[in-house]
Amino acid sequence: MVWVARFKELPLALRVLFLASFVNRAGMFVFPLLAVYLVRGKDLSPGEAGLLISIGSTGLLVGSLLSGPLCDLKGRRTALLSALILNAAGYLGLALLDGAPWTYAALLFVALVGMGMFSPASNTLVADLTTPEQRPFAYTISYVGNNLGMGVGPLLGGVAAAYSYHVMFAGNILAGLLCAAMITLWVPRDRRAKDAGGTNSRKKTGSYGPLGHRHVLLLVLVSFFYVVPLIGLEYALPLAVTTVLHDSAGLVGAVYTINSVVVVSLGLLMEKHMRGYGTKTLLMAAGLLWTLGLSVIVFGFSLPALLLSTVVWTLGEIIVSVVVPTYVADHVDERRVGSFMALNGFVLGLARLVVPVGLGVLWTADGYRPVFVTLLLAPLIGMAGFALLRIRPSAAESTAVPESKAAPANT
């Protein structure tokens, strides 16, 4: 198979990283079942558990912000190892300590700081070790592997929790430590060859002040409007299935299964067909797919509509998940890639905090329909934003065009 040959062409360190990321995701037994553990294992009320999880989840934002500076100061491998160790330490405390409720929030915060640090550091390492032509494929492999792991993890976690919560925590911790061992053995320390003038082979032209790489900064910020429906559906779909359609909660799992199946089965195929298209074209296509998928729900609300919608919007999710980190890697100076990858992670973490709260207020006041209409408006706003942005050609596009015929880049 062609993709197998392309995978073998990637550096060994990246192949190990992708395997470690899959193991790490598959070993995330605790987070999906955390509310159950706090209610049944620690005798908290559902309200207390929800509040503690919300407070602890701010660790995702902090981890995203810390990842960039740590990558830049101490290196990508150090950031990855620190993320895994913090996650394991936080969950070890949750498993063993029996204290006041605030201690659970503090320990969860530590664990989720680690979780928030891992993805930006991983994306930064991919940027370091790939050529422009390899990057879309590498980010696709990373995304597919993560989704496959997320599909396996809750299933394994449920089996472990049914036996013992301690087994659940032990599995999560051991998976993280296994990943740390793999990264220690096969992922080298950062090697940044600089010339006497202090430049390097991946330095990009442009401004390097507080708002340097403004076009990249704006692109990442506008991508927030494509993240909003993803996080919003995580909140709204379970409620819609169980309280509006009055179907079994088990059908919620079908939605996530469809999402994972589409990502795993079509992710690599889509990456192949994405080649040759510009960044703006791909982002507009992603917004259109999000809009079409959400329109199915808004104008034909039913269980079949929810399932069909998932197939459509997942295609848009795949495109954004590949295009945004690739654009960052192609256009940001090597010294600042970690910070911009961290910003991309921060956008996701911010959405996880504000979107459920906002949609919850809207649902309580006006019912479910305004919630889905709001989610439909988000990608439309994103498309308008991307249409107005001056987006530069990707590195792969630039190398494919003869220099004498290349159009000047927008600034």
Side-chain angles (χ1 to χ4, degrees):
M1 298 176 68
V2 175
W3 73 267
V4 174
R6 295 178 69 192
F7 183 75
K8 291 180 178 179
E9 292 174 356
L10 295 174
L12 174 63
L14 281 190
R15 285 179 275 157
V16 171
L17 175 66
F18 296 152
L19 177 59
S21 298
F22 167 75
V23 172
N24 188 43
R25 285 289 185 178
M28 284 186 178
F29 299 165
V30 174
F31 192 64
L33 298 167
L34 191 58
V36 176
Y37 171 71
L38 291 175
V39 171
R40 295 185 178 179
K42 296 297 184 180
D43 297 321
L44 300 180
S45 70
E48 288 175 318
L51 177 61
L52 293 180
I53 291 173
S54 294
I55 295 172
S57 293
T58 57
L60 291 170
L61 287 176
V62 174
S64 296
L65 291 176
L66 288 176
S67 184
L70 187 58
C71 279
D72 295 337
L73 293 174
K74 299 296 183 180
R76 285 54 162 148
R77 189 176 77 160
T78 299
L80 290 168
L81 294 175
S82 299
L84 293 167
I85 291 170
L86 281 173
N87 188 256
Y91 282 150
L92 181 63
L94 277 173
L96 298 181
L97 296 182
D98 190 11
W102 68 266
T103 61
Y104 304 140
L107 290 166
L108 178 61
F109 175 85
V110 172
L112 296 188
V113 166
M115 185 185 293
M117 288 171 58
F118 189 88
S119 183
S122 175
N123 283 340
T124 304
L125 187 61
V126 173
D128 288 348
L129 299 181
T130 54
T131 64
E133 293 76 16
Q134 290 175 319
R135 279 181 198 133
F137 176 74
Y139 284 119
T140 301
I141 288 288
S142 177
Y143 185 66
V144 169
N146 282 336
N147 273 267
L148 188 59
M150 286 190 290
V152 173
L155 176 62
L156 296 177
V159 173
Y163 182 78
S164 166
Y165 288 122
H166 285 103
V167 172
M168 178 182 74
F169 277 99
N172 198 132
I173 293 168
L174 289 175
L177 295 178
L178 175 61
C179 294
M182 295 168 64
I183 290 170
T184 300
L185 289 173
W186 286 293
V187 175
R189 294 182 181 275
D190 292 19
R191 290 176 298 194
R192 302 175 191 173
K194 298 184 180 181
D195 59 27
T199 60
N200 60 61
S201 60
R202 291 190 59 244
K203 186 173 182 179
K204 311 295 188 296
T205 59
S207 171
Y208 298 103
L211 292 179
H213 304 304
R214 284 183 293 273
H215 62 109
V216 183
L217 174 66
L218 291 173
L219 184 140
V220 173
L221 293 178
V222 173
S223 72
F224 174 81
F225 293 101
Y226 286 1
V227 177
V228 166
L230 179 64
I231 304 304
L233 288 172
E234 288 182 1
Y235 166 83
L237 280 180
L239 287 177
V241 169
T242 56
T243 66
V244 180
L245 297 175
H246 303 291
D247 280 309
S248 167
L251 291 173
V252 175
V255 173
Y256 292 103
T257 300
I258 291 172
N259 176 259
S260 295
V261 168
V262 172
V263 170
V264 173
S265 61
L266 296 182
L268 291 170
L269 180 63
M270 288 190 65
E271 186 275 330
K272 178 181 178 181
H273 290 287
M274 285 162 56
R275 280 179 261 160
Y277 290 96
T279 299
K280 179 173 286 193
T281 300
L282 291 172
L283 289 171
M284 297 298 285
L288 181 60
L289 288 166
W290 268 112
T291 302
L292 290 175
L294 290 163
S295 295
V296 171
I297 300 177
V298 171
F299 298 109
F301 189 81
S302 65
L303 182 61
L306 293 178
L307 299 178
L308 175 60
S309 167
T310 302
V311 175
V312 178
W313 61 253
T314 298
L315 300 178
E317 178 193 356
I318 293 171
I319 294 174
V320 176
S321 299
V322 174
V323 169
V324 173
T326 299
Y327 191 80
V328 171
D330 284 349
H331 293 92
V332 175
D333 183 271
E334 183 183 21
R335 295 167 296 177
R336 302 185 65 192
V337 169
S339 297
F340 275 84
M341 291 297 183
L343 175 64
N344 190 33
F346 179 82
V347 165
L348 176 61
L350 180 63
R352 287 193 181 279
L353 282 184
V354 302
V355 171
V357 173
L359 294 183
V361 172
L362 188 59
W363 190 307
T364 301
D366 298 310
Y368 73 93
R369 287 196 177 278
V371 168
F372 287 102
V373 171
T374 300
L375 295 180
L376 173 60
L377 292 176
L380 291 173
I381 296 172
M383 290 176 69
F386 286 127
L388 294 174
L389 289 183
R390 293 184 174 182
I391 298 175
R392 297 184 180 184
S394 69
E397 289 178 275
S398 299
T399 56
V401 180
E403 187 172 318
S404 61
K405 297 181 181 180
N410 292 322
T411 56

